[in-house]
Amino acid sequence: QVQLVESGGGLVQAGDSLRLSCAASGPTFSSGTMGWFRQAPGKEREFVAAIWSGGTTYYADSVKGRFTISKDNTKNMLYLQMNSLKPEDTAVYYCAARRHGAVDYGSWGQGTQVTVSS
């Protein structure tokens, strides 16, 4: 089981930038897929971005061009650089890990709150 701990959330204004970090432990980090998800109040959790073991990335349409997912395998760290933030980006952001060959993300962090004021 991968242990995941997010950090970097906070209160920012629309148009600002923020970088989320996720510290991971366990073998899945380098060999599996890592992702970011978010859940806004009253809404279901939604996919934000993912990065495969080879470095390929994928984004939700709502964040494409504004958010960048990256990872540092030497430090077991996952990042989400968020630029041009909008009030609708307000949510709790979760880091997640999916083992190589697995269908679902099996490990989740506790989440970090991002609030964007207008």
Side-chain angles (χ1 to χ4, degrees), residues 8-97:
L11 172 63
V12 297
Q13 294 186 333
D16 285 351
S17 297
L18 205 59
R19 189 177 83 155
L20 304 183
S21 300
C22 174
S25 63
T28 300
F29 182 82
S30 58
S31 62
T33 301
M34 300 297 297
W36 286 98
F37 292 75
R38 67 187 181 186
Q39 187 167 19
K43 296 186 178 180
E44 293 191 354
R45 185 169 59 194
E46 65 174 2
F47 169 80
V48 175
I51 184 166
W52 272 251
S53 58
T56 300
T57 57
Y58 186 75
Y59 298 92
D61 287 343
S62 58
V63 306
K64 199 172 296 183
R66 300 188 298 122
F67 290 11
T68 302
I69 187 172
S70 63
K71 64 177 182 173
D72 185 337
N73 288 335
T74 65
K75 298 180 179 179
N76 275 14
M77 293 294 295
L78 179 72
Y79 304 102
L80 185 67
Q81 178 65 43
M82 305 185 293
N83 298 330
S84 302
L85 282 163
K86 305 175 181 180
E88 50 264 43
D89 294 319
T90 295
V92 177
Y93 283 71
Y94 298 92
C95 170

